[in-house]
Amino acid sequence: MTFIRIVLILCGLSRLVLPAFGDAGVLIPSSESDKPDATKLSLGDMQVSILVDNQNARVSVRQIFASHVGSVLEGQYLFGINPEALVSDFGVWDGAVRIPGVILERKRAEEIYNALRLQAIDPGLLQQAEQGEEGGSRVSFFSARITPIPAYGTKRLELEYTERLPLERLQSYFYFPLKPRQFQNQAAGRLRINLTVRHVLPMANFKQTSVAFPLVIDSQTANEIRAHYEGSNVTFADDFVFTYELRSPSNLSVLFYRSKDDRHVRAGLPITAFERPGRGGEVAEPGYFQASALFNIAPASVAKRAFSSFVLLFDTSLSIRWDKLERQYEALEKILYHLQPGDRFQLLLFNSKVTSFRPTAINASRENIAAALDLVKQSYLVGGTNLKQALQTVLDQYQSQSGFSGRAVLISDGNPTLGTLETKTLARWFASANTTTGGPKLKLYAYGIGTDCNKILLRDLAQSSGGLFEFVGETEATEFKLNNFVNHLTLDPLVDPRLEISSSENFSQIYRSPEDPVFDQSLAHWVGKYRQPLRSVIFTASARQPSGQAEIKRSIDLPTDAVEHLFIPRNWAKARVDFLLRKIEMAGEDAESIKEVIQLSKKYKFVTPYTSFLAAPRSLLRPRLIKPGDPILRVRTDPDIRSITAIFPFGLIKRLRYLPREQVWQTRFLAPKEMVDGVYHCRLILRDEAGRVYEEKKSFVIDSRSPTIQARIDRATYRAGDTVQIRVQSDADTRRIRLRVANLEPGEARWDPQGKASVGHIVLPPEMATGQYALEIFAEDFAHNVSSSQVMIAVVGP
């Protein structure tokens, strides 16, 4: 018997492959299947317009799907998105009429939603967790029910979202998901990508990290790049990713937005004493600014850092399976190999209890690192997650000064199931407990795993201790985020970044956003409002570093009219809402704050705990919970569902149990191990409070065959210090190939389309001893079947 688990959209188990769909938007004929079927609905045309304006990206997607059947169809639209992004628009075209999604007050949106469902219309809501609710993850998949799709006709869908791009060590990174997360191919009859990247600071080293969609550079200067890609019958073989660098010393740039045509009367926002009435009693919209300080104060030659000590907390509970476990192990491995031999570390594995690798911290030698990694590989995933107990163990060790000095790294999804569960309570406890007499706080660095990770809790734990928070999705490329997280472990952020402005009476509601730690060679952003144009206003950004105070000044005129940077008012509104939500959390709800949150959300179109994104009657926008790994069927439904029964293809019938705390329906089940490879279906029977019955059919694929491996090296003998190149050929459904030689840092083999093989490199250290070594190759497919092989290499002295 093999434990498996299904989620409404995604499934995960040791022998299971999901019905494949791409992250960048697919339309599934939902009445007949749970996977795309190009013989019925195909993506005829897709256009992606990307504007990156001074680190602020606006992504607009237009897709036209074609029907190839002679009857009216209903489809389920799925789109993957960065959990940190904000959806700003969604629309469906019914012939020549565009049906948009709208932002409504949460209660009103739910009333409309329920009324439409009673009419057998299936709308949907995009909502954010209420203040005080457990969890804190933001959804990463959106779903919309699209109907009708005319016979032999087309259906046009549009979606837009915005996100702020990171800048670390002067490098920036953009990622748009196109490659399906499973092995079946996705394709478009025509694909057009339009790209504009501009920045007030000089840019350099613009490059794509994949070659699947080679850009044609239309124009390129130091401050703007315009490019496009266009192709026919395009297979989504990879994601669209690019990077670039900023080339500038310390700099303070200030951008503005002010339109003489905007009026508060039209927006319905409250009038404050800060604004002055114009003619006719109207109140002129104020101007908005964004100040971005680039602190680039790193010395030309960096001295070797002092040795450090760390305690590493590694989650081994049952919620950490497959892709999550892979991402966690990758992070642990990267952190350990980043340590110097003179550093010291302690490793704690935690689930319902805490297990120590050694009684006290030990030196970060290659042998000790290999032993720590072996402990993890030999451990079992068991039990629940007692996060408070794990944190208490670290605090006890720190406050007794038993082996490490003030830095801890938590690698987990941050979802406690034992002990203290409520996010706010646990965060407040840690902030209070993390105090020492006569010494600094323990710095906690949190690396969250999975799109369902509790970002609110992990961010609060890190921020309250002066540490750092980062997260990655289960299938997200980790190189950029993980490298920056690891590099920051041994660096201290700049202290007390602040912005001062002359003529301060002309400005109001200034916020640093986001409020994350600011490191050297990265950006700090402030947004705010100004009342009227002025000349020669002095902006001063400052922060403290070990060598002293860093300060950047800029004199600039406040414009009367500036409409180029449309993102600035929305960034300010988001920062203002975040401020109001923190105020509500600290002091309780008040009518004026809630009213302003709702008004700003409606005007600038983003979801808050008090508003919802409601698609119009013929479309659906619904969050989907994606949490692969447990042998559990978990279903998140509308509140009026009263019972769910699952009927499995091997004869098992199971009723699901409702978990009020998590607001999901759940049951456990086993798939007989004698089930042969192939496609199977599970039926879900849902009954609502009025007695109406609904049925959904979900499919999964059993795949028990491990991938085949054929490996070839360029030669058999190497000198210490050489680089070994290996070429690996494996099955088409292989998702990852890892390489390992002795106790060296593992590597990966990546697909080379020209050589039609995966190519990897292992660097042999100059001090490597002479002898015979096994180069081990591990291949894993999308069903998480793993196979291994090895080739022998001989190493001689340098």
Side-chain angles (χ1 to χ4, degrees):
M1 304 285 280
T2 300
F3 281 103
I4 69 175
R5 164 208 186 257
I6 299 179
V7 187
L8 266 178
I9 295 297
L10 293 187
C11 316
L13 75 152
S14 59
R15 302 169 59 215
L16 180 82
V17 177
L18 320 179
F21 56 85
D23 284 348
V26 295
L27 187 58
I28 300 170
S30 55
S31 61
E32 303 179 20
S33 175
D34 279 339
K35 62 182 179 181
D37 186 347
T39 65
K40 296 181 176 67
L41 282 173
S42 64
L43 178 55
D45 185 90
M46 179 172 180
Q47 181 167 308
V48 183
S49 296
I50 304 165
L51 170 63
V52 180
D53 184 357
N54 291 275
Q55 303 300 118
N56 293 270
R58 186 176 77 241
V59 181
S60 303
V61 181
R62 186 198 71 190
Q63 294 175 295
I64 300 176
F65 292 88
S67 170
H68 306 292
V69 299
S71 58
V72 175
L73 291 177
E74 178 181 289
Q76 194 75 13
Y77 181 67
L78 304 169
F79 194 97
I81 193 171
N82 182 346
E84 293 296 292
L86 294 175
V87 174
S88 54
D89 195 18
F90 176 73
V92 180
W93 287 77
D94 187 4
V97 179
R98 187 179 191 271
I99 305 173
V102 294
I103 294 286
L104 296 174
E105 187 174 350
R106 185 168 181 145
K107 182 178 179 182
R108 175 61 178 154
E110 289 174 346
E111 290 173 353
I112 297 173
Y113 175 85
N114 292 328
L116 290 172
R117 289 197 76 255
L118 291 175
Q119 302 172 44
I121 300 170
D122 195 2
L125 293 171
L126 169 60
Q127 296 183 331
Q128 183 175 320
E130 295 270 18
Q131 289 297 109
E133 288 180 355
E134 292 184 20
S137 60
R138 189 179 292 163
V139 298
S140 61
F141 269 84
F142 300 107
S143 170
R145 181 152 298 173
I146 308 300
T147 183
I149 304 170
Y152 298 112
T154 61
K155 182 60 68 174
R156 174 174 169 177
L157 307 174
E158 297 172 343
L159 185 139
E160 181 180 276
Y161 66 89
T162 61
E163 62 179 319
R164 178 173 280 162
L165 303 190
L167 182 78
E168 299 291 347
R169 295 180 296 164
L170 302 179
Q171 298 177 334
S172 196
Y173 166 89
F174 176 86
Y175 164 80
F176 181 75
L178 280 171
K179 181 180 179 180
R181 290 299 161 270
Q182 289 72 41
F183 59 84
Q184 288 108 323
N185 289 329
Q186 298 289 325
R190 175 181 175 272
L191 174 65
R192 171 87 184 194
I193 300 175
N194 297 313
L195 173 66
T196 300
V197 184
R198 56 179 179 238
H199 209 288
V200 294
L201 301 179
M203 296 181 291
N205 288 342
F206 173 85
K207 60 182 179 181
Q208 290 181 260
T209 60
S210 64
V211 296
F213 312 102
L215 288 170
V216 176
I217 303 297
D218 299 315
S219 63
Q220 183 169 4
T221 67
N223 300 102
E224 183 179 82
I225 299 166
R226 292 182 180 269
H228 75 277
Y229 165 81
E230 187 165 7
S232 300
N233 300 318
V234 179
T235 299
F236 296 163
D238 210 339
D239 298 316
F240 180 72
V241 181
F242 64 83
T243 61
Y244 60 90
E245 298 176 7
L246 296 184
R247 293 288 179 85
S248 174
S250 294
N251 182 276
L252 178 61
S253 60
V254 187
L255 305 176
F256 299 95
Y257 179 89
R258 189 173 192 265
S259 174
K260 293 181 291 187
D261 296 328
D262 290 339
R263 302 291 173 184
H264 271 309
V265 170
R266 234 177 18 210
L269 293 174
I271 297 172
T272 69
F274 175 75
E275 292 135 356
R276 296 176 178 174
R279 287 185 294 179
E282 292 182 324
V283 178
E285 178 80 359
Y288 298 86
F289 75 88
Q290 175 174 294
S292 301
L294 171 62
F295 294 99
N296 188 3
I297 47 186
S301 60
V302 179
K304 186 176 181 179
R305 66 171 176 83
F307 293 135
S308 302
S309 299
F310 296 90
V311 61
L312 308 177
L313 279 164
F314 189 88
D315 191 342
T316 57
S317 65
L318 278 173
S319 67
I320 307 299
R321 295 284 186 95
W322 308 132
D323 291 315
K324 279 189 176 181
L325 180 59
E326 182 179 295
R327 292 292 182 265
Q328 281 205 177
Y329 185 83
E330 179 184 31
L332 176 65
E333 195 173 50
K334 186 77 174 180
I335 292 167
L336 287 174
Y337 280 110
H338 180 73
L339 302 181
Q340 299 176 1
D343 292 329
R344 295 172 63 80
F345 76 96
Q346 168 66 292
L347 174 63
L348 302 178
L349 309 184
F350 72 95
N351 39 63
S352 57
K353 62 180 182 179
V354 180
T355 303
S356 298
F357 169 54
R358 293 286 189 268
T360 60
I362 58 175
N363 288 331
S365 66
R366 293 278 181 172
E367 293 74 19
N368 288 336
I369 289 173
L373 295 174
D374 284 341
L375 172 67
V376 173
K377 288 185 286 187
Q378 294 166 11
S379 299
Y380 292 95
L381 300 180
V382 295
T385 308
N386 194 330
L387 185 55
K388 181 178 180 180
Q389 182 185 57
L391 293 171
Q392 184 66 67
T393 302
V394 177
L395 290 172
D396 290 344
Q397 291 193 16
Y398 174 55
Q399 292 172 359
S400 64
Q401 295 296 312
S402 60
F404 70 97
S405 53
R407 293 179 191 256
V409 183
L410 171 62
I411 309 173
S412 171
D413 62 8
N415 289 312
T417 60
L418 299 171
T420 302
L421 305 182
E422 208 274 326
T423 292
K424 200 181 302 184
T425 302
L426 187 54
R428 287 176 176 171
W429 166 81
F430 179 76
S432 174
N434 188 15
T435 57
T436 58
T437 304
K441 293 180 179 180
L442 166 73
K443 282 190 176 182
L444 180 70
Y445 296 76
Y447 190 72
I449 305 292
T451 52
D452 67 332
C453 79
N454 192 332
K455 302 175 187 67
I456 292 177
L457 174 59
L458 295 179
R459 181 178 278 113
D460 283 352
L461 294 175
Q463 288 183 345
S464 69
S465 66
L468 183 70
F469 166 71
E470 185 58 273
F471 80 95
V472 294
E474 291 93 335
T475 58
E476 182 180 356
T478 60
E479 183 177 358
F480 182 84
K481 288 185 175 180
L482 181 55
N483 284 345
N484 286 319
F485 180 82
V486 171
N487 287 326
H488 288 157
L489 292 178
T490 50
L491 297 175
D492 289 321
L494 302 179
V495 178
D496 193 24
R498 62 174 57 194
L499 180 72
E500 296 178 350
I501 311 174
S502 64
S503 305
S504 58
E505 70 281 354
N506 195 45
F507 295 84
S508 73
Q509 297 176 340
I510 301 172
Y511 308 101
R512 187 165 76 86
S513 177
E515 293 186 321
D516 298 331
V518 179
F519 289 85
D520 189 27
Q521 298 187 329
S522 66
L523 287 166
H525 301 282
W526 292 267
V527 288
K529 297 197 296 187
Y530 67 94
R531 183 172 60 196
Q532 61 185 8
L534 289 177
R535 297 183 63 84
S536 302
V537 176
I538 306 297
F539 287 76
T540 304
S542 62
R544 296 200 308 276
Q545 58 163 337
S547 60
Q549 186 83 353
E551 188 175 273
I552 317 169
K553 290 194 175 188
R554 178 84 183 272
S555 176
I556 197 165
D557 297 338
L558 308 184
T560 301
D561 193 40
V563 295
E564 180 181 4
H565 304 294
L566 298 174
F567 62 87
I568 296 177
R570 197 163 188 261
N571 284 358
W572 171 82
K574 183 63 171 60
R576 174 66 179 169
V577 165
D578 288 343
F579 167 80
L580 292 171
L581 293 178
R582 286 193 298 270
K583 173 187 170 186
I584 289 171
E585 183 176 359
M586 296 291 293
E589 293 184 330
D590 65 273
E592 285 302 314
S593 295
I594 295 173
K595 181 180 178 181
E596 188 175 354
V597 167
I598 292 171
Q599 290 169 332
L600 288 170
S601 173
K602 287 181 178 180
K603 179 178 181 181
Y604 294 102
K605 294 188 75 172
F606 56 84
V607 174
T608 73
Y610 298 97
T611 54
S612 303
F613 196 110
L614 176 71
R618 296 193 203 180
S619 58
L620 173 67
L621 197 63
R622 173 179 294 162
R624 297 296 190 184
L625 176 65
I626 302 172
K627 188 179 179 183
D630 295 339
I632 300 172
L633 167 65
R634 295 169 65 89
V635 179
R636 194 182 290 273
T637 68
D638 303 322
D640 56 350
I641 295 298
R642 292 295 176 262
S643 71
I644 302 178
T645 302
I647 304 174
F648 297 95
F650 40 88
L652 179 66
I653 300 176
K654 296 273 289 187
R655 287 180 64 89
L656 278 68
R657 182 169 61 93
Y658 186 66
L659 305 180
R661 183 180 294 276
E662 297 184 51
Q663 297 183 350
V664 297
W665 296 82
Q666 173 178 303
T667 190
R668 293 179 180 271
F669 68 99
L670 295 170
K673 62 182 179 182
E674 62 267 21
M675 290 178 70
V676 298
D677 291 3
V679 179
Y680 297 88
H681 293 86
C682 169
R683 293 169 58 205
L684 300 176
I685 310 300
L686 300 88
R687 185 182 299 273
D688 67 12
E689 59 186 357
R692 288 181 292 267
V693 177
Y694 308 87
E695 178 176 334
E696 291 199 31
K697 185 173 68 173
K698 301 299 170 185
S699 64
F700 56 91
V701 178
I702 297 293
D703 178 12
S704 60
R705 187 177 62 86
S706 299
T708 60
I709 299 174
Q710 292 181 339
R712 180 165 52 90
I713 54 178
D714 52 349
R715 61 183 190 272
T717 302
Y718 299 86
R719 292 187 177 275
D722 285 352
T723 298
V724 180
Q725 176 176 289
I726 183 169
R727 304 179 67 82
V728 182
Q729 291 183 320
S730 187
D731 295 342
D733 63 342
T734 301
R735 65 187 295 271
R736 192 173 194 186
I737 298 175
R738 293 173 63 82
L739 310 171
R740 183 187 295 275
V741 176
N743 290 331
L744 302 183
E745 182 174 359
E748 287 195 18
R750 301 184 184 278
W751 178 250
D752 176 12
Q754 294 181 339
K756 296 183 178 180
S758 297
V759 179
H761 300 86
I762 295 288
V763 179
L764 305 177
E767 68 274 15
M768 193 167 187
T770 299
Q772 294 284 329
Y773 293 88
L775 195 165
E776 298 176 286
I777 307 105
F778 302 90
E780 181 184 7
D781 64 19
F782 288 100
H784 301 287
N785 299 305
V786 178
S787 59
S788 63
S789 181
Q790 67 179 33
V791 294
M792 299 302 297
I793 61 172
V795 177
V796 298

